[in-house]
Amino acid sequence: MERVTDVSGRPAHAAGRDRVNDYDRFAEAYSAENENSLVNAYYERPAMLALAGDVAGRRILDAGCGSGPLSAALRDRGAVVTGVDASAGMLALARRRLGDEVALHVADLRDPLPFADGAFDDVVASLVLHYLEDWGPTLAELRRVLGPGGRLIASVDHPIVAYTIHDPRPDYFATTGYAFDWTFDGQSAPMRFWRRPLHAMTDAFTTAGFRLRAISEPQPDPAARELFPDGFHGLSTAPTFLFLVVEVPPSAIVSDG
């Protein structure tokens, strides 16, 4: 069993009682920042789209879709997209962006999803899994809603980065909660993420019935070199996010139990 600790000094189970990760409080400010930032628009989203490849005609669930920039890009490439997010405020922005072309649902990824078994060909989980202390129930649900051969394409905070931002260093081999404040447009909001070692990530996918296809540490879009001269070098020479592609075995059958 994974050890779970909290670098703030509070019991790990107390995290859920805090009003943290409340995107409704700063949805507009976060969405504006996310739209054209170096790490989102020129690094994370292009990497996710490259890993997804040709998505024309594929049924894709955007798990943790936020205000919908990745959903929009997938739709524009011909995918049939459905989005879910725990924040009604973020989904309101997504609706404004996407109109009625994309089905959107308020749903917490820690809970059962409102979709039938095998409803999707792919799931994209963009920078969302690191909000979850326990990946098990979430990955089981994502596995359930994927058909045989379906892919889960995920990006998370790189475990090395999350490990090195604290001094003294936490136990790398433990699943560790850490808290910080994000500030957008003058608004400060308390956040809590969970980092885990790489082997714990791959073990969680395997336990959920996936098999690993790819682990990626991509470079930012070269166009960012001139647009963000101060940040491009650091982003291109040090890890920031980790990208994983896992799949349901083609012969897999989802159990009724």
Side-chain angles (χ1 to χ4, degrees), residues 101-118:
E101 296 179 43
V102 174
L104 298 173
H105 304 266
V106 176
D108 191 317
L109 292 180
R110 293 170 294 187
D111 299 329
L113 295 171
F115 308 113
D117 295 356

Side-chain angles (χ1 to χ4, degrees), residues 2 49 96 122 162 233 239:
E2 295 179 44
L49 292 169
R96 186 188 308 171
D122 296 314
H233 176 74

Side-chain angles (χ1 to χ4, degrees), residues 36-228:
N36 297 300
S37 70
L38 170 60
V39 294
N40 296 112
Y42 293 90
Y43 172 53
E44 195 273 340
R45 276 200 300 278
M48 291 289 284
L49 292 169
L51 289 170
D54 182 3
V55 297
R58 295 184 72 83
R59 302 165 302 163
I60 300 181
L61 174 64
D62 189 350
C65 65
S67 62
L70 183 57
S71 290
L74 292 166
R75 176 204 58 188
D76 293 346
R77 286 160 172 77
V80 179
V81 182
T82 299
V84 297
D85 201 277
S87 167
M90 294 298 282
L91 285 179
L93 299 177
R95 179 60 67 204
R96 186 188 308 171
R97 180 198 303 271
L98 300 166
D100 295 328
E101 296 179 43
V102 174
L104 298 173
H105 304 266
V106 176
D108 191 317
L109 292 180
R110 293 170 294 187
D111 299 329
L113 295 171
F115 308 113
D117 295 356
F120 299 101
D121 301 307
D122 296 314
V123 173
V124 292
S126 174
L127 302 178
V128 67
L129 291 177
H130 49 233
Y131 290 95
L132 305 174
E133 179 181 355
D134 182 1
W135 284 13
T138 298
L139 293 184
E141 270 296 278
L142 298 182
R143 162 68 182 81
R144 181 185 66 78
V145 301
L146 280 167
R151 302 174 300 169
L152 168 57
I153 304 164
S155 59
V156 296
D157 269 4
H158 199 291
I160 293 298
V161 174
Y163 169 72
T164 57
I165 61 176
H166 295 289
D167 189 16
R169 299 283 182 261
D171 179 355
Y172 171 81
F173 294 101
T175 293
T176 306
Y178 60 103
F180 57 97
D181 288 333
W182 259 355
T183 301
F184 293 104
D185 193 27
Q187 301 179 66
S188 183
M191 308 298 293
R192 182 172 297 279
F193 287 1
W194 294 89
R195 62 147 302 279
R196 64 202 72 228
L198 177 58
H199 78 270
M201 295 183 188
T202 57
D203 287 352
F205 288 121
T206 300
T207 299
F210 292 101
R211 65 184 184 186
L212 183 66
R213 284 187 55 179
I215 295 178
S216 178
E217 297 172 308
Q219 289 289 298
D221 184 335
R225 187 187 301 274
E226 294 185 6
L227 294 170
F228 301 92

